[in-house]
Structure formats: structure tokens, C-alpha cells
């Protein structure tokens, strides 16, 4: 099969199209003919040596997110059969014509969705649900601040918050504001020219928001704490700007009864990941078939153009997901 691999850490040019052996499904695996694969920030971190190893642990090939057709099933697989259209999260190996996936990390492709749009769902929407609903406990009466709202997880989180009925504050760049507003944000904050803590202070008359979902890290931490109301929950999903040097007002945490929670899917134990996928599937999967939730696509590249797809993500100009499509 054709696949994307790299032999040394480096810039996007190290990604090359190679001939690779077909993956061998284990007892709990589906073997999937991949029609589309999602590009994730973790792929860039892997490629540049951030994790200190050249693979995600389950395959020496790049990629964590697929959509395609089941071509074989392991002996212990339940609920899937050959010919099913599936999407899901792998332990690596998504940038390929064939991939294996634990059946408990797979979901049916919703009716009416093509493979490109299906590949834009699993990683970002599962992460968004975990942050907003499972950990953040967002309710219809709540208000929420979603940072990096034009990104993959951010755009998914805005849609889930809208579907929940919450009031949504969202940060992004001015040129992406209309796209974020169209997803359902009530107040869009230009993070380059506005202080989000000041905007929230004024808009909520000092009450603050109930939930914050943050991907940025240390530079936002103190202002996130400042922006939370009584009983508020800060869910830290990423550290795009680093995690060192953050300061914290412990008195505010104490007297406002605040909670600070962190979540990362990739490093969790497999049963925990199964639970994340199941919670999202049971809660939201039916909303895609009716068009109530829509995966946001920024751009589509051929599998052989994986380097260009990585360069696109590195510009930080994208809105929604970047997808690789096989021939």
C-alpha cells in the first residue's frame, strides 16, 4: 500500500510517500480502506520530534484519524462488518491507503456524509465533547469561553455549545470572526486587539463565565482564572503557547470555588479512550445526519501532498480541519 512516512525529524519536507506493508488486524481491530484522513496538531509535533519518538505507538506511520470502508474484521470485533462505512481514531497509521483501528475507537459514518467530512469529526468532536460536556459539565443556562475557536477542536466546541444552548464567547483573529460567528458564537473576541478578560468582565457585569476551554496555555492562564465565575471550570485541552511560567491567584480559586481540569486523549489508557468515544457517539452522532452539527473543512490535499497539508496547518491560517484524501 501507499503511505506517508519519515526517516528523521524535521520540517514538512521529511514527509514522503512510500510503499509500506499492509497492516495486520488483531482480534479487536477493523482493517479499513482509508478514503480520507484528518491532519492534527499532534502529527506536526510527532514529525518535529516533540514526543521523542518517530511513531504514536501502534504504527510507525503518521496519522491519528480516518474515514473509510471496513475490508476485514478481527475475531473479537462486535458491531461492525465488512463493507461498513466507518470513521475513528487510530494509534497511528492514518496517512495510508489501509489502516487498522480498534473497533471501540470506530463509529459509523453518519448518513449523508462523505468520507472527507467524516474524517473531520472523530478527533475534534470527541475532544470537544470531553472538554465541554463531560469535564466542563456545560448546561443550557451556562456561559462559556472557547479559545482558538476557528481551529478544529474550537470550531467543534462552538457547535456543541450552541447545540447545548449556552451563551458563547469565542476568541479568534479578526479575519476569522464571521466564520466563528456563523458557527454559533454570540460574542467573538479579536484576541490580537482585545483583552478577552476585559470583554467578559464588561459583558457579564463582573459575573464571569461558567466554563472556559483553552488550547493556548500559560499566556492565558491568569486571565482565564480572572474570567471564571463562581463554581467555574477551566478545562485545559492544549498548550499551543507553552505551559511554563503561568501564575495563579489562589485566593480567587479558593473563594470562587473554581476547578482546573486537564485533558489529553493521546496519552490516556485505551479503556479511557474507549469511554471518550462512546460518550460522544451516544450523545451526538445522530446530530450529524440531520445537519444540526457540521464538520468544518478548511482544505483537502491528496495523500501525496501531506507535506503541503502540514505547511498549511503551520501557517495558523486554517479554519476547521485539514484533510488528506487518498486516490
Amino acid at each position: 500500500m501507499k503511505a506517508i512516512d519519515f526517516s528523521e525529524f524535521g520540517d514538512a519536507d521529511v514527509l514522503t510517500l512510500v510503499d509500506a506493508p499492509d497492516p495486520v488486524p488483531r482480534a479487536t481491530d477493523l482493517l479499513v480502506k482509508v478514503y480520507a484522513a484528518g491532519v492534527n496538531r499532534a502529527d506536526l509535533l510527532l514529525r518535529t520530534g516533540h514526543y521523542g519518538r518517530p511513531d504514536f505507538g501502534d504504527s510507525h506511520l503518521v496519522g491519528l484519524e480516518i474515514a473509510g470502508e471496513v475490508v476485514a474484521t478481527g475475531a473479537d470485533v462486535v458491531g461492525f462488518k465488512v463493507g461498513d462505512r466507518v470513521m475513528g481514531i487510530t494509534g497511528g497509521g492514518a496517512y495510508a491507503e489501509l489502516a487498522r483501528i480498534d473497533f471501540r475507537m470506530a463509529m459509523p459514518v453518519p448518513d449523508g456524509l462523505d468520507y472527507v467530512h467524516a474524517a473531520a469529526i472523530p478527533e475534534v468532536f470527541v475532544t470537544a465533547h470531553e472538554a465541554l460536556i463531560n469535564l466542563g459539565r456545560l448546561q443550557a443556562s451556562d456561559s462559556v469561553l472557547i479559545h482558538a475557536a476557528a481551529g478544529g477542536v474550537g470550531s467543534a466546541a462552538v457547535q456543541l455549545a450552541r447545540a447545548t444552548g449556552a451563551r458563547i464567547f469565542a476568541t479568534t483573529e479578526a479575519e476569522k470572526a464571521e466564520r466563528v460567528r456563523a458557527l454559533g458564537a454570540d460574542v467573538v473576541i479579536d484576541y490580537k486587539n482585545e483583552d478577552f478578560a476585559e470583554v467578559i468582565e464588561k459583558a457579564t457585569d463582573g459575573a464571569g463565565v461558567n466554563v472556559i476551554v483553552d488550547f493556548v496555555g500559560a499566556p492565558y492562564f491568569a486571565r482565564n482564572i480572572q474570567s471564571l465565575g463562581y463554581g467555574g471550570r477551566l478545562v485545559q485541552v492544549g498548550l499551543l503557547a507553552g505551559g511554563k511560567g503561568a501564575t495563579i491567584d489562589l485566593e480567587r480559586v479558593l473563594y470562587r470555588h473554581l476547578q482546573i481540569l486537564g485533558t489529553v486523549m493521546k496519552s490516556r489508557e485505551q479503556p479511557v479512550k474507549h469511554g471518550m468515544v462512546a460518550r460522544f457517539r451516544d450523545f451526538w452522532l445522530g446530530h450529524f445526519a440531520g445537519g444540526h452539527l457540521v464538520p468544518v473543512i478548511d482544505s483537502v490535499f491528496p495523500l501525496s501532498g501531506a507535506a503541503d497539508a502540514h505547511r498549511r496547518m503551520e501557517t495558523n491560517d486554517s479554519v476547521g480541519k485539514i484533510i488528506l484524501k487518498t486516490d
Side-chain angles (χ1 to χ4, degrees), residues 29-50:
D29 283 340
L30 306 174
L31 184 63
V32 177
K33 183 177 182 180
V34 178
Y35 290 108
V39 177
N40 290 283
R41 186 73 55 176
D43 303 341
L44 277 62
L45 295 174
L46 177 73
R47 190 203 77 219
T48 54
H50 176 82

Side-chain angles (χ1 to χ4, degrees), residues 18-30:
V18 300
D19 290 308
D22 294 353
V24 177
R26 298 155 298 195
T28 58
D29 283 340
L30 306 174

Side-chain angles (χ1 to χ4, degrees), residues 99-262:
R100 67 184 184 186
I101 180 173
D102 185 321
F103 78 94
R104 292 156 295 190
M105 297 298 288
M107 296 172 279
V109 173
D111 292 341
L113 254 63
D114 59 28
Y115 287 115
V116 166
H117 285 80
I121 293 175
E123 184 79 22
V124 295
F125 276 95
V126 170
T127 300
H129 172 81
E130 192 69 14
L132 274 180
I133 310 300
N134 191 51
L135 296 177
R137 307 188 305 281
L138 187 71
Q139 304 291 321
S141 58
D142 286 343
S143 56
V144 59
L145 169 62
I146 299 168
H147 289 299
V153 181
S155 61
V158 171
Q159 291 190 68
L160 297 188
R162 179 199 63 197
T164 302
R167 186 186 186 193
I168 304 166
F169 296 86
T171 63
T172 190
E173 299 169 75
E175 54 268 30
K176 301 177 182 178
E178 285 306 313
R179 294 285 301 276
V180 172
R181 193 171 288 111
L183 293 173
D186 298 291
V187 179
V188 180
I189 303 166
D190 174 7
Y191 73 89
K192 290 185 177 179
N193 296 299
E194 296 178 281
D195 185 325
F196 67 83
E198 292 179 359
V199 172
I200 289 172
E201 172 82 15
K202 183 177 180 179
T204 65
D205 293 324
V209 297
N210 303 99
V211 179
I212 297 176
V213 177
D214 182 45
F215 311 89
V216 178
Y220 279 12
F221 189 75
R223 284 182 290 160
N224 282 337
I225 297 299
Q226 180 186 339
S227 300
L228 283 171
Y230 285 95
R233 287 84 68 192
L234 168 62
V235 185
Q236 196 71 46
V237 180
L239 299 170
L240 291 174
K244 304 293 186 183
T247 59
I248 185 169
D249 182 348
L250 284 174
E251 287 191 354
R252 192 173 183 90
V253 172
L254 182 67
Y255 293 115
R256 285 215 166 198
H257 311 287
L258 305 183
Q259 297 179 47
I260 302 166
L261 307 107

